Amino acid sequence: MSTAAAAAGRGLKSVSRAAFSWKPTGRAQQTLAAAVSRSGVGLHSGARATARLLPARAGEGRYFVVEEARVAAEAGNAEPQSPLCTTLRSGSGGARVRTVEHLLSAMEAFGVDNCRVEVSGGDEIPLLDGSAQEWVEAIRGAGLCAAEDIGGQKLEKLAPKIDEPVYLRKDDCFVAAFPSSQIHITYGIDFPKAPAIGCQWFNTFLDADIYSSKIAPARTFCIFEEVEKMRDAGLIKGGSLENAMVCR
């Protein structure tokens, strides 16, 4: 099946042929210098869970361990149908881990290339305060160091390079990526149902400092009138004003 056909099967309205390559960075892969953990309630399960972040060897990448099963943090493991969260699953019918987006976002922003994340108390990452801020603080507290493989060797970090425009669309949402020598983000949202959110635009170059001050504090939000509908669907069992903004 072609890339376009596969995307159409997931409900995407338009997609160009993805053209990526891997660019050497001249820097060694990194991992955490120490283990760190955070506990809290899962947004959808409502169960109290703990995510323990541990150093990993160079080349292992980021991965989750749920009930002794390993789930790699790879795009190919993302479930196409995952309401109100990002879910990763190891193969068809394999172990899954839900609501990984805030944690993985913070890892990417701070250059945590290799990390083992042990999840206990369920299959969902704790929502904490509904943002990525506590994960930023956890990573900063643990510190970073060069990762080594099983032979004690450092491996060079490769960065993805976009060689031609990539465009995905579903309903009235879209994402477009263009070749650039720097990471530059333009993000817009138009949410007329919630005047507190409304129409906003955010435009910035991106580094760890900008991420931690401008992006990581952004919190999960929902519309008050939709709360009961989501609960009836078996979602947001752990949602509260402590971990989400409710807009009217």
Side-chain angles (χ1 to χ4, degrees):
M1 181 181 291
S2 68
T3 301
R10 296 193 297 270
L12 298 171
K13 301 301 184 184
S14 176
V15 61
S16 68
R17 181 177 61 85
F20 297 93
S21 59
W22 293 94
K23 178 182 178 181
T25 63
R27 303 191 303 271
Q29 294 181 20
Q30 297 187 116
T31 188
L32 297 176
V36 64
S37 66
R38 290 291 185 272
S39 299
V41 174
L43 172 60
H44 297 303
S45 67
R48 185 166 181 81
T50 297
R52 186 166 184 249
L53 284 55
L54 298 100
R57 296 188 185 279
E60 288 189 331
R62 307 168 192 138
Y63 64 95
F64 298 86
V65 178
V66 186
E67 296 180 352
E68 300 184 357
R70 178 167 171 159
V71 183
E74 299 174 352
N77 285 339
E79 290 199 333
Q81 303 298 325
S82 179
L84 302 180
C85 72
T86 299
T87 298
L88 300 174
R89 187 181 292 275
S90 178
S92 178
R96 72 174 185 178
V97 58
R98 296 188 290 170
T99 322
V100 300
E101 51 268 29
H102 291 162
L103 173 55
L104 290 180
S105 172
M107 285 186 181
E108 177 64 23
F110 280 82
V112 184
D113 305 305
N114 303 279
C115 186
R116 175 187 174 99
V117 182
E118 297 179 350
V119 183
S120 58
D123 64 358
E124 191 170 17
I125 300 298
L127 187 60
L128 305 178
D129 72 343
S131 78
Q133 192 63 51
E134 287 196 45
W135 294 119
V136 167
E137 294 169 0
I139 292 169
R140 280 178 164 166
L144 298 175
C145 65
E148 297 180 348
D149 64 14
I150 195 169
Q153 300 297 311
K154 296 180 176 64
L155 299 180
E156 184 176 18
K157 176 175 181 173
L158 301 178
K161 178 177 178 291
I162 298 175
D163 297 315
E164 65 179 51
V166 179
Y167 175 67
L168 301 176
R169 179 177 180 179
K170 181 178 181 181
D171 301 327
D172 61 350
C173 303
F174 73 90
V175 176
F178 303 92
S180 175
S181 60
Q182 295 178 294
I183 299 177
H184 183 270
I185 295 175
T186 299
Y187 178 79
I189 185 171
D190 187 6
F191 223 87
K193 291 182 180 180
I197 304 297
C199 182
Q200 301 184 44
W201 285 93
F202 178 69
N203 183 47
T204 185
F205 287 98
L206 188 62
D207 60 23
D209 290 336
I210 291 174
Y211 175 87
S212 61
S213 63
K214 300 294 185 181
I215 297 177
R219 300 182 66 210
T220 299
F221 75 91
C222 67
I223 307 303
F224 176 78
E225 289 77 10
E226 297 178 355
V227 169
E228 289 305 318
K229 180 180 178 181
M230 289 187 286
R231 286 179 173 167
D232 289 343
L235 302 171
I236 66 167
K237 295 177 182 177
S240 72
L241 293 178
E242 294 182 356
N243 55 32
M245 296 172 55
V246 180
C247 304
R248 304 190 69 164

